Amino acid sequence: ESLRGRPRDASHSPQRISEGLFSLTFLLTPSYGYRGRDSRSNLFVLRSGEVVYFIACVVVLYRPGGGPGGSGGGGQRHYLGHTDCVRCLAVHPDGVRVASGQTAGVDKDGKPLQPVVHIWDSEKLHKLQEIGLGVFERGVGALAFSVSDQGSFLCVVDDSNEHMLSVWDWNRGAKLVEIKSTNDSVLAVGFNPRDSSCIVTSGKSHVHFWNWSPGGGAQGNGGLTRKQGVFGKYKKPKFVPCFVFLPDGDILTGDSEGTILTWGRSPPDSRTPGRGGAKETFGIIAQTRAHEGSIFALCLLRDGTVLSGGGRDRRLVQWGPGLTALQEAEIPEQFGAVRAIAEGLGSELLVGTTKNALLRGDLTQGFSPVIQGHTDELWGLCTHPSLNRFLTCGHDRQLCLWDGESHALAWSLDLKETGLCADFHPSGKVVAVGLNTGRWLVLDTETREIVSDVTDGNEQLSVVRYSPDGMYLAIGSHDNMIYIYSVSSDGAKCNRFGRCVGHSSFITHLDWSKDGSFIMSNSGDYEILYWDVAGGCKLLRNRYESRDREWATYTCVLGFHVYGVWPDGSDGTDINSLCRSHNERVVAVADDFCKVHLFLYPCARAKAPSRKYGGHGSHVTSVRFTHDDSHLISLGGKDASIFQWRMLGGGGTPSRTPSLSPASSLDV
């Protein structure tokens, strides 16, 4: 169907649109979640006491419990300089400067974007240096600052086949030396804190001890020589995910066998000087059985003791001199395994987990979550009709209700199946959730009890939507049908009212009219259809009669009022989600290129101007405004991220057009 017809209220002149958009800004407030599922080197505590970690393209600086941001939720600030997913962090010995490495991405035309490392100031949130553009391949896998020389050097291992190891004078942005490290994956890198000429890397089936001679080497700009750690009579582990330097010069490695190996320096062998003279090496001097399953993290504490974090057994163990176990605690199963450990202020410990949770506590009192997140692709999102709350669901089968005021998880529920869509009843008392099996549930939002459990067809459901008066519920399915149910006044009971039959492809989006009598729907073959539900779920043949009908919500990506949001050359799948603000002034759009866009509404002319905002590291699957338009919620797909954007000058007041700040931000 042609969308060139123009709705009557699309009277904005181009000049007015661009002026209005000039004031469009959002500010990223909290992000929900932490990337622990598949990344390491992802949790540190800064000199300020802030915890630094990352999710998607955003590095989060989080102050647990204090500062701005609401009760218990602490405050968040964000470094937003990256253009693709951050994969690793390192903190300078001064506790202020941070290095963060990103993966390679692709732009919207499919061209590769090169990975890079940013070094930035965590107090002012501004970039000091960018290194490695055009040097690193695929991504930055691990990085570390030197310690003994005021952090002058940065060591980086990339994700290329040879896992190139390079040392940089990061202040000057100069690469001093580069060498192929190994074809096996490298999981960790570190400088010896007492001697920057000693660098250690570990990963799949290896520990390597590197000797670096600044100013030496064949090219006169630095030489690196490698000694492999020999396991000898000890079982060679499949992985060595972590290591730590002890004050006495020994090194501890944690491996996939649950073993901590102690590596001590052996004197140089003068009979085999080799290149650059005789080199001392490291050999295993002790083996300690520490965990069932892999050891994912080792952390040297200020008092000289060491903490180890286990995978399968989820245990945290504190080790004293001679690796005698002093104390231990177990992380509750719901949070997954220990991924990273950081020492906070006082006796507090921070623990990142493989189920994307960030916990705080200590070995005596135990641990409680301060950040929780989903662990797989997200699609379902709805916002509460009268509170700053929203609900999410996705491929990890978790249904989560979030409190947008305290920026915390209110509750979560295991759906046992993938949740793909959701919608609150106008009363807010119940919520409908559509699953990937054709089944849909209605849950009481307070008790979390299932009050209705219905199956329509056997294909996935893509949209569930209550009518504005709450009398009907529409279910859009991949079997090309829209199922209509009449709903009891409390929302608990549903009875089949009819079906809307006529689409020749799966339903993607639908909206109710303000009077609750009509539906507009989109399908996978880019068709827009209109239905008279009250009149018996009849298809309206004359589509232009519906052109000026008023819609209670506008989430259809195809429609007279929004055809200007589509980019040139689009294949029809580039926009995943769209949402009009409740004051009907703005449209937010989620695209396949990691961006959230804002347009003025109505957006009924081609190539309409917009503001776009980055932060997600994957396709953005859904956007929804909160009930008062004070915030926008956006979901990332594969990065499993949830971002909450605050409308600057918005808050639902029509006097000023709201606007997402792409700069680094402070939640105040």
Side-chain angles (χ1 to χ4, degrees), residues 306-472:
V306 171
L307 272 181
S308 62
R312 190 186 309 156
D313 65 7
R314 307 186 314 281
R315 284 163 59 236
L316 277 170
V317 184
Q318 184 180 21
W319 305 91
L323 285 182
T324 51
L326 302 177
Q327 208 176 353
E328 67 172 75
E330 189 175 303
I331 300 300
E333 189 175 4
Q334 71 196 84
F335 301 123
V338 178
R339 174 63 83 198
I341 309 166
E343 189 174 19
L345 301 177
S347 63
E348 185 168 82
L349 298 172
L350 284 303
V351 177
T353 77
T354 54
K355 288 192 176 175
N356 293 354
L358 185 56
L359 314 178
R360 66 191 282 219
D362 58 45
L363 297 176
T364 311
Q365 304 292 323
F367 292 84
S368 56
V370 286
I371 300 286
Q372 288 173 269
H374 283 276
T375 57
D376 208 342
E377 196 158 338
L378 290 176
W379 283 92
L381 169 67
C382 60
T383 50
H384 194 281
S386 57
L387 303 172
N388 191 0
R389 291 189 150 202
F390 60 94
L391 192 137
T392 56
C393 56
H395 289 230
D396 63 0
R397 304 181 174 188
Q398 295 298 306
L399 181 70
C400 295
L401 181 69
W402 304 90
D403 187 322
E405 297 291 339
S406 63
H407 310 150
L409 181 67
W411 55 255
S412 68
L413 190 71
D414 186 356
L415 291 171
K416 312 290 188 201
E417 294 174 40
T418 296
L420 295 175
C421 50
D423 195 37
F424 279 101
H425 186 269
S427 67
K429 292 177 181 173
V430 297
V431 66
V433 183
L435 308 176
N436 65 333
T437 53
R439 183 171 163 229
W440 54 274
L441 311 171
V442 178
L443 296 101
D444 185 302
T445 53
E446 291 302 318
T447 66
R448 295 171 241 170
E449 288 176 23
I450 296 172
V451 294
S452 286
D453 185 338
V454 185
T455 300
D456 282 307
N458 56 7
E459 298 200 40
Q460 70 183 53
L461 304 179
S462 46
V463 55
V464 292
R465 184 62 44 79
Y466 284 100
S467 61
D469 55 12
M471 290 178 62
Y472 293 108

Side-chain angles (χ1 to χ4, degrees), residues 76-123:
Q76 282 190 18
R77 300 188 298 139
H78 308 97
Y79 177 73
L80 298 173
H82 286 283
T83 54
D84 214 288
C85 280
V86 180
R87 295 310 308 269
C88 52
L89 290 176
V91 175
H92 191 274
D94 66 9
V96 175
R97 288 172 286 188
V98 178
S100 45
Q102 74 174 52
T103 190
V106 291
D107 65 13
K108 66 185 183 66
D109 301 318
K111 293 177 187 163
L113 296 171
Q114 294 171 316
V116 70
V117 171
H118 288 194
I119 296 102
W120 45 279
D121 183 313
S122 65
E123 291 174 348

Side-chain angles (χ1 to χ4, degrees), residues 1-52:
E1 175 180 339
S2 165
L3 293 180
R4 291 194 180 126
R6 203 177 170 85
R8 272 184 224 149
D9 53 353
S11 56
H12 294 74
S13 68
Q15 183 184 4
R16 184 166 163 199
I17 287 178
S18 50
E19 281 173 2
L21 280 170
F22 190 74
S23 64
L24 275 177
T25 309
F26 271 113
L27 190 69
L28 179 61
T29 50
S31 66
Y32 296 78
Y34 148 86
R35 186 164 184 166
R37 177 185 46 144
D38 62 352
S39 66
R40 293 164 181 78
S41 302
N42 57 16
L43 180 66
F44 297 92
V45 176
L46 301 174
R47 189 177 71 184
S48 64
E50 288 174 299
V51 182
V52 59

